[in-house]
């Protein structure tokens, strides 16, 4: 009788081990090893418009720069592609009807739609960009009820959006239906930093960029050397693999540095790994930095890593001029980038045809 129980115990243990192995295999570890590197020298497209651009966006036919100047009249400047001819500006700053104060752009909108959430008014506005004007298609209001705002908003399909919902102490990656204004699913945080750091934890430590193409998505961490790849199916989010570390680094915390240090605040010693992220149907483009946060504005990022959607490293672009933000025109094999700290009046255009 004892041997029967022992045999049953081995069977149960074997089943548990199989389940464990299967669950571990659901998330693959992929090494960051690029077989191909390509050096890219940019051409400069000088702008005549007087703006202080801070971000760059793309639609099917247009390039859009965001003016971050404190007294800017309009937030967004529209340029044709690929010749980068200035067409018009829109998104008027103000407190009146159809005016905005704190827009966060919704990326990956279909065709030539351009949308954003205005955190000052809780309005969601969607425009159709044309050669002559931006046409307001709709505007809705969804107030925030728990103090956590939507960031890194990406359109998926059928009114589904992948986004971060964050405040200074709590951040989650969630799939939402903005028509019904409800959360459909969320990913558990990869790292347990809230528990490990306690009161010293802030969401900046495991902050990340999100990017979506069709039903695939990627995550790139700001202070952690890690990229994650996943799928969106039937209203659910699933991570399939990652590249990089499995443990977060030992962070410098938000406190003043000791006298004689390089930076005023300790947190500036933390290395920035990914400064921006873009994706296309072909794969993921991640702007790699590798410099301390305190030096980021001086140096920015000079490497773009390209992965396919299975997370396989394909190619590494070595940029002769560093970037702070970028978008990709995969059909024309062009990368459009900005670096307002070194080229305050120009768009940098890299051609990566082999």
């Amino acid at each position: 009788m004892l041997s029967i129980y022992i045999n049953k115990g081995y069977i149960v243990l074997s089943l548990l081990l199989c389940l464990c192995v299967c669950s571990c295999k659901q998330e693959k570890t992929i090494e960051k090893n690029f077989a191909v590197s390509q050096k890219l020298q940019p051409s400069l497209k000088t702008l005549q418009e007087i703006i202080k651009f801070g971000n760059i966006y793309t639609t099917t036919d247009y390039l859009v720069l965001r003016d971050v100047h404190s007294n800017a009249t309009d937030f967004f400047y529209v340029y044709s592609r690929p010749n980068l001819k200035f067409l018009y500006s829109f998104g008027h700053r103000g407190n009146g009807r159809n005016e905005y104060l704190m827009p966060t752009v919704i990326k990956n909108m279909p065709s030539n739609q351009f949308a954003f959430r205005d955190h000052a008014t809780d309005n969601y506005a969607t425009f159709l960009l044309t050669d002559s004007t931006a046409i307001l298609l709709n505007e809705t209001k969804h107030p925030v009820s728990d103090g956590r705002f939507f960031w890194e908003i990406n359109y998926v399909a059928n009114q589904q959006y992948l986004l971060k919902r964050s405040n200074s102490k709590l951040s989650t990656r969630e799939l939402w239906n903005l028509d019904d204004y409800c959360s459909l699913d969320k990913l558990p945080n990869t790292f347990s930093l809230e528990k490990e750091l306690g009161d010293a934890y802030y969401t900046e430590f495991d902050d990340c960029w999100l990017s979506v193409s069709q039903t695939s998505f990627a995550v790139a961490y700001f202070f952690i050397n890690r990229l994650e790849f996943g799928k969106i199916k039937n209203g659910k989010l699933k991570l399939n693999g990652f590249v990089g570390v499995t443990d977060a680094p030992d962070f410098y915390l938000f406190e003043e540095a000791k006298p004689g240090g390089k930076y005023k605040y300790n947190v500036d010693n933390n290395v920035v790994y990914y400064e921006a992220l873009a994706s296309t149907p072909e794969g993921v483009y991640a702007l790699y930095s590798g410099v301390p946060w305190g030096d980021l504005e001086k140096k920015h990022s000079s490497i773009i890593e390209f992965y396919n959607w299975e997370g396989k490293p394909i190619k590494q672009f070595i940029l002769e001029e560093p970037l702070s933000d970028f978008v990709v025109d995969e059909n024309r094999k062009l990368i459009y980038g900005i670096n307002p700290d070194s080229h305050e009046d120009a768009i940098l255009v890299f051609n990566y045809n082999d």
Side-chain angles (χ1 to χ4, degrees):
M1 183 67 72
L2 180 60
S3 64
I4 294 175
Y5 286 129
I6 291 174
N7 289 335
K8 285 184 177 179
Y10 278 124
I11 293 171
V12 171
L13 181 60
S14 298
L15 288 172
L16 289 173
L17 287 172
C18 288
L19 288 172
C20 180
V21 170
C22 290
S23 64
C24 291
K25 287 183 177 178
Q26 288 177 356
E27 187 174 286
K28 299 179 294 183
T29 304
I30 304 167
E31 296 296 326
K32 186 193 292 188
N33 184 18
F34 295 94
V36 179
S37 291
Q38 181 181 359
K39 290 186 177 180
L40 299 181
Q41 177 70 41
S43 60
L44 300 183
K45 172 61 177 179
T46 303
L47 307 179
Q48 303 303 316
E49 300 70 49
I50 301 175
I51 64 173
K52 181 181 179 181
F53 48 77
N55 302 96
I56 186 170
Y57 307 98
T58 187
T59 69
T60 300
D61 297 308
Y62 305 104
L63 200 71
V64 182
L65 294 178
R66 174 171 178 162
D67 191 351
V68 296
H69 200 278
S70 58
N71 61 355
T73 301
D74 290 331
F75 282 105
F76 303 110
Y77 283 66
V78 180
Y79 297 81
S80 60
R81 288 192 5 232
N83 60 0
L84 301 182
K85 176 185 175 183
F86 172 67
L87 300 176
Y88 53 86
S89 62
F90 75 102
H92 200 71
R93 178 191 294 271
N95 290 305
R97 178 179 172 83
N98 301 139
E99 294 182 335
Y100 314 97
L101 292 171
M102 298 174 61
T104 288
V105 171
I106 300 174
K107 298 175 291 185
N108 196 48
M109 290 294 292
S111 187
N112 285 314
Q113 293 184 40
F114 190 89
F116 52 83
R117 183 191 193 278
D118 184 27
H119 294 313
T121 62
D122 293 323
N123 284 334
Y124 292 76
T126 302
F127 291 82
L128 177 64
L129 304 188
T130 70
D131 287 347
S132 58
T133 190
I135 303 168
L136 181 63
L137 298 179
N138 61 68
E139 190 172 279
T140 58
K141 182 184 287 287
H142 291 301
V144 171
S145 59
D146 61 356
R148 295 171 62 196
F149 288 92
F150 290 176
W151 305 98
E152 285 299 294
I153 312 171
N154 290 262
Y155 178 76
V156 180
N158 303 320
Q159 293 307 309
Q160 293 182 9
Y161 296 78
L162 177 63
L163 50 85
K164 291 184 312 189
R165 192 159 64 101
S166 305
N167 58 25
S168 64
K169 291 288 189 176
L170 181 62
S171 181
T172 51
R173 298 165 292 180
E174 302 183 6
L175 185 68
W176 277 66
N177 183 309
L178 290 184
D179 261 6
D180 299 331
Y181 204 66
C182 64
S183 177
L184 302 175
D185 195 23
K186 68 178 180 181
L187 288 173
N189 289 339
T190 300
F191 303 97
S192 303
L193 295 180
E194 294 173 75
K195 181 179 179 181
E196 294 172 13
L197 297 177
D199 291 340
Y201 172 75
Y202 288 90
T203 52
E204 282 86 352
F205 291 126
D206 52 357
D207 198 10
C208 60
W209 310 105
L210 302 176
S211 189
V212 172
S213 180
Q214 299 171 346
T215 59
S216 298
F217 70 91
V219 180
Y221 288 86
F222 192 67
F223 281 145
I224 304 173
N225 190 7
R226 182 180 171 103
L227 282 163
E228 297 173 342
F229 305 87
K231 289 285 187 180
I232 305 166
K233 186 176 181 180
N234 299 325
K236 297 293 181 181
L237 301 170
K238 181 183 178 183
L239 290 177
N240 297 322
F242 70 91
V243 174
V245 300
T246 56
D247 297 306
D250 293 328
F251 292 109
Y252 293 91
L253 304 179
F254 280 93
E255 56 190 15
E256 288 199 18
K258 294 179 180 179
K262 184 177 181 181
Y263 309 110
K264 181 177 180 181
Y265 298 101
N266 272 342
V267 71
D268 287 329
N269 289 285
N270 290 316
V271 172
V272 172
Y273 287 98
Y274 291 103
E275 193 172 0
L277 185 68
S279 62
T280 69
E282 296 299 316
V284 178
Y285 297 79
L287 185 62
Y288 181 86
S289 175
V291 303
W293 198 15
D295 288 338
L296 192 62
E297 288 188 0
K298 301 175 187 175
K299 298 181 179 180
H300 286 293
S301 305
S302 298
I303 296 174
I304 293 178
E305 301 172 348
F306 175 59
Y307 301 82
N308 67 17
W309 278 112
E310 282 66 51
K312 179 182 178 181
I314 302 298
K315 197 172 188 178
Q316 184 176 239
F317 300 104
I318 310 300
L319 309 179
E320 295 294 325
E321 293 278 355
L323 300 177
S324 60
D325 198 9
F326 74 106
V327 293
V328 178
D329 184 340
E330 205 158 48
N331 291 331
R332 298 184 178 94
K333 303 297 181 185
L334 296 174
I335 296 170
Y336 300 99
I338 58 172
N339 184 346
D341 296 295
S342 62
H343 297 284
E344 63 180 13
D345 61 350
I347 299 173
L348 292 81
V349 184
F350 298 86
N351 189 320
Y352 63 97
N353 269 315
D354 293 329

